[in-house]
Amino acid sequence: MTAAETLHLQPALCREMDTTLATQQAAYHANPMPELAQRRAQLRVLKNAIKQHRHALCDALNTDYGQRHPQDTLVADILPCINQINYTVKHLKRWMKPSRRHAGLLLAPANVEVQYQPLGVVGIVVPWNFPVMLSLGPLITAIAAGNRAMIKLSEFTPATNRVLRTLLAGVFAPDQVAVFEGEADTAAHFTRLPFDHLLFTGSTTVGHHVMQAAAANLTPVTLELGGKSPVLIAPDIPMALAVERLLFGKCMNAGQICVAPDYVLLPRGQEDAFIDAFTAEFNRRYPGGTTNPHFASVVNERQYQRLCHWLDEAAALGAEVHACHAQARDDSRHRLIPHLLTKVPESATLMQEEIFGPLLPVIPYEDIDQALDYIRQRPRPLALYLMSLDPTTQQTVSRHTHSGGMAINETILHVAADDAPFGGIGPSGMGHYHGQEGFLTLSKAKTVLTQGKFHTTGLIKPPYGRWWQKLLLAFFLR
């Protein structure tokens, strides 16, 4: 498509987004409170559609990446959606039930309850790293809460987008769920739309722009960003065990995960032991380096060149680079196996920015307090991982650090907990969209006070100064 054609297309696409939003808003007003049975039915049909298209989704993601094993897609994209639907359908009746609250003596005998009302139309902006889970996961929550949704898919996963379009069109009418594609200008227009809620998954840098765009309409946002998630290896844990637990989290999807370990803190003097253990474990699980079919490619040339540039920059600044296999790079297929880095200057870009790939700085510390200070002096991460079998150390680190989530003796899998919130803090994001907390995020908790024919509040209404008012005030102010 030529630049002129793109410019011609863009206004039409913007008008389509505007029209779709208006159509969905009208449909919402016509049915502002879908019944439990309707929501469950939609989720079950969606579940069946995901199962029917699972092989096509695996093939599409393999095409988009150039190499992505179907098992990665099944484990990280397909199964989480199926599990989320099963969990949501089971618990949705309880979530939707209004909660009774106390009116208090001043309002007695009124009844007070909190109703959980759909917001309306939810906008969902999807990244390229897990385009199935990070589009359908928020959508499942949006449907459970009774909303309609518009989804902006990533321009970097065109094959996956085609399957998702077909899948969703077979389940939902356009006035219920609509899908859009396009580059940065499309996303910019999308985020400026007056949604009732906007959920964005992506980088912290883009998150600033999304929040600014949403602010023009006072659109509430949920931002799932990222940041530099540390792994703290305590002195008490065997190195082989620590490495075994963190390697999967760093190697799945070639480290292109918002909660992937970004750097490792370990006791000084253990650097070589860590490198040896990590290299041995990697080659046990992914023999052959860049030729191994189970290790994903970097998603595209742009991201591959970014990672190689950061790696070469760090080496030029004096960092020591330890590739986990002799076949470490394949430029033609944008494949890059894990590279461990020691003695990395703080000025290196990969020490300042979220890595989002298979590079892993290794940083020694003198004691746990120094390691905690290192973490606390940096922006709060989306995840923090502690490798320790000591209960005192576990409690100390948990209580004295801030992060969106935390896993002890594991990495990334806390995100898979159905009955727990997931979200960042500060630069790593805001809000939650998993489990019941996700349902609450995409619902309006509306207080409803019901007063009968008899009420006591007339005793406090004008004219003021009567004796019983003074008595009541004295009673309530005691």
Side-chain angles (χ1 to χ4, degrees), residues 84-391:
Q84 183 181 350
I85 291 175
N86 290 340
Y87 181 82
T88 300
V89 167
K90 179 178 179 181
H91 295 277
L92 186 54
K93 181 178 181 180
R94 175 172 58 85
W95 296 350
M96 288 177 61
K97 184 179 179 180
S99 58
R100 294 292 300 271
R101 303 298 174 92
H102 295 288
L105 287 174
L106 186 62
L107 302 178
N111 291 320
V112 176
E113 70 175 19
V114 175
Q115 298 177 358
Y116 301 98
Q117 187 172 12
L119 295 176
V121 181
V122 176
I124 301 170
V125 182
V126 184
W128 50 260
N129 60 328
F130 293 105
V132 179
M133 176 56 200
L134 295 177
S135 59
L136 300 185
L139 176 63
I140 291 164
T141 302
I143 296 300
N147 298 290
R148 295 163 192 270
M150 292 171 57
I151 304 172
K152 163 60 178 72
L153 297 173
S154 171
E155 65 272 28
F156 299 122
T157 55
T160 306
N161 296 352
R162 287 192 290 272
V163 180
L164 285 171
R165 276 184 174 275
T166 301
L167 185 158
L168 291 171
V171 178
F172 302 104
D175 67 354
Q176 178 79 32
V177 176
V179 176
F180 297 90
E181 297 178 69
E183 299 189 5
D185 50 356
T186 303
H189 184 83
F190 187 90
T191 56
R192 288 195 296 267
L193 293 173
F195 293 114
D196 298 292
H197 195 97
L198 181 62
L199 194 149
F200 168 81
T201 304
S203 71
T204 302
T205 299
V206 179
H208 282 93
H209 298 294
V210 170
M211 192 169 184
Q212 187 175 30
N217 296 305
L218 295 180
T219 299
V221 295
T222 297
L223 302 178
E224 194 276 272
L225 305 178
K228 301 184 73 62
S229 297
V231 178
L232 173 54
I233 299 178
D236 68 274
I237 192 168
M239 187 62 70
L241 177 58
V243 165
E244 188 269 329
R245 297 297 174 82
L246 76 86
L247 185 136
F248 176 72
K250 187 61 179 177
C251 290
M252 171 173 264
N253 207 37
Q256 298 165 109
I257 309 176
C258 59
V259 290
D262 195 277
Y263 64 93
V264 173
L265 293 165
L266 47 63
R268 186 174 298 279
Q270 293 296 306
E271 297 94 321
D272 289 342
F274 176 82
I275 292 167
D276 291 344
F278 192 101
T279 301
E281 183 70 5
F282 175 79
N283 283 283
R284 186 177 75 83
R285 294 183 180 276
Y286 302 97
T290 56
T291 66
N292 187 282
H294 299 161
F295 194 81
S297 295
V298 177
V299 68
N300 55 36
E301 182 67 18
R302 173 184 169 186
Q303 295 296 328
Y304 177 77
Q305 290 299 332
R306 172 185 66 83
L307 290 165
C308 289
H309 173 70
W310 287 7
L311 180 60
D312 294 342
E313 177 202 55
L317 290 172
E320 295 182 359
V321 179
H322 311 268
C324 288
H325 194 277
Q327 297 189 55
R329 298 191 195 184
D330 183 343
D331 296 343
S332 64
R333 300 168 61 211
H334 41 90
R335 292 179 65 72
L336 184 69
I337 68 160
H339 288 66
L340 311 178
L341 298 98
T342 55
K343 302 179 182 178
V344 189
E346 284 292 327
S347 59
T349 305
L350 58 77
M351 295 297 290
Q352 305 297 321
E353 302 289 338
E354 181 181 6
I355 293 173
F356 220 73
L359 311 180
L360 187 61
V362 179
I363 304 165
Y365 64 81
E366 301 296 339
D367 55 43
I368 286 290
D369 288 339
Q370 185 189 54
L372 294 180
D373 285 341
Y374 187 93
I375 295 170
R376 289 191 293 252
Q377 289 166 8
R378 283 154 179 78
R380 294 171 173 178
L382 184 57
L384 186 149
Y385 303 115
L386 171 65
M387 301 297 164
S388 174
L389 303 175
D390 177 53

